[in-house]
Amino acid sequence: MLLQEKAYEIIKKRILTNTYKTGEMLSENGLVEDLGMSRSPIRNALVRLSKEGFVQIVPQKGAIVNDMSAEEVRDIFDLRIAVEAHAAQRLPNRLNSKDVEALQTLLVEQRKIAEKGNVTDFVTLDFSFHLYLLKKYGNTKMVAILENLRDRMIQCGIYAARDQQRMRQTIEEHEAILHALINGTDSPSAQLLMETHLNNGKNRFFEQ
């Protein structure tokens, strides 16, 4: 892995997991020492993160970690509701035994991780659950939308599922969605459950 890519991945992960907090100044000198790299790959990584909205460049100094605006969070969830509820409406009776087993395994792992209180790993599995369903639906453009939002979705999710109670609520909602997809011929039920689930996630974010 190139040093620039390595620096980008490390800094981004620390922003997503709130190791680098909103409003914190990430000085080039501090990052050089912390990451054990020269200025060039770190500077290039910060430029890339700036273009993606994670930081704001401060010339000759470094970068400030950006907060997610309320408008951005609402836009992300509203877009997800439009895409994922649409897919959920058409997925009932399309899951085969392999799909069901894979999704149930994801939920078992989510529950284990929730009991350990590992929010970052929990939210990563949450993304995997939603992406699996969208891939099963088969619309490549929708899949691309979700994959492009991955980092922001994880960042939102870490705020929204920040304690075990909220993680358990998320799992229960996932289980209800999966149950509707497996057993129900009433496709609007799966659609409504998905829409409610994503709206709940949005509301949890704003309950900070």
Side-chain angles (χ1 to χ4, degrees), residues 166-200:
R166 290 165 187 254
M167 286 189 272
R168 285 192 288 268
Q169 289 171 349
T170 297
I171 294 168
E172 289 169 3
E173 290 166 9
H174 281 179
E175 288 173 339
I177 291 166
L178 182 56
H179 183 270
L181 293 176
I182 295 170
N183 300 306
T185 56
D186 180 17
S187 56
S189 175
Q191 179 185 23
L192 179 60
L193 286 168
M194 180 64 78
E195 185 173 342
T196 300
H197 169 58
L198 293 172
N199 270 316
N200 287 344

Side-chain angles (χ1 to χ4, degrees), residues 3 6-8 10-11 14 20 29-38 42 45:
L3 285 179
K6 184 178 180 181
Y8 165 81
I10 292 172
I11 297 169
R14 292 181 182 181
Y20 294 151
N29 289 338
L31 290 171
V32 165
E33 182 176 350
D34 194 20
L35 275 60
M37 299 180 189
S38 64
I42 288 172

Side-chain angles (χ1 to χ4, degrees), residues 22 66-82 149 151-162 198-208:
T22 298
N66 284 336
D67 194 6
M68 293 188 72
S69 69
E71 182 179 2
E72 182 179 9
V73 173
R74 290 191 183 96
D75 285 350
I76 288 171
F77 275 105
D78 288 349
L79 178 59
R80 290 187 62 192
I81 288 167
L149 289 173
D151 291 336
R152 286 309 205 188
M153 285 170 58
I154 289 175
Q155 193 173 18
C156 287
I158 288 171
Y159 282 105
R162 60 190 178 277
L198 293 172
N199 270 316
N200 287 344
K202 178 168 64 174
N203 292 336
R204 288 174 194 136
F205 181 94
F206 289 108
E207 287 171 1
Q208 300 176 52

Side-chain angles (χ1 to χ4, degrees), residues 42-171:
I42 288 172
R43 190 170 293 149
N44 289 333
L46 291 176
V47 169
R48 181 175 171 186
L49 289 164
S50 174
K51 291 178 180 178
E52 295 175 359
F54 288 103
V55 301
Q56 178 181 347
I57 298 293
V58 180
Q60 309 304 318
K61 292 185 178 181
I64 297 174
V65 178
N66 284 336
D67 194 6
M68 293 188 72
S69 69
E71 182 179 2
E72 182 179 9
V73 173
R74 290 191 183 96
D75 285 350
I76 288 171
F77 275 105
D78 288 349
L79 178 59
R80 290 187 62 192
I81 288 167
V83 169
E84 295 187 58
H86 173 85
Q89 184 183 22
R90 290 157 175 78
L91 275 176
N93 303 318
R94 289 177 59 176
L95 300 181
N96 58 39
S97 58
K98 183 179 178 182
D99 296 322
V100 173
E101 182 180 359
L103 289 165
Q104 288 175 335
T105 298
L106 272 174
L107 295 182
V108 169
E109 289 302 310
Q110 266 200 305
R111 193 169 288 281
K112 289 179 182 177
I113 289 171
E115 293 306 314
K116 295 178 181 177
N118 189 326
V119 178
T120 302
D121 287 350
F122 178 87
V123 173
T124 301
L125 282 178
D126 180 273
F127 176 81
S128 297
F129 178 86
H130 286 269
L131 184 63
Y132 192 106
L133 292 179
L134 209 53
K135 284 184 174 180
K136 184 64 181 181
Y137 175 54
N139 186 310
T140 57
K141 299 298 184 184
M142 289 183 175
V143 170
I145 288 171
L146 208 66
E147 289 179 330
N148 287 336
L149 289 173
R150 179 184 184 276
D151 291 336
R152 286 309 205 188
M153 285 170 58
I154 289 175
Q155 193 173 18
C156 287
I158 288 171
Y159 282 105
R162 60 190 178 277
D163 59 49
Q164 288 180 321
Q165 180 181 355
R166 290 165 187 254
M167 286 189 272
R168 285 192 288 268
Q169 289 171 349
T170 297
I171 294 168

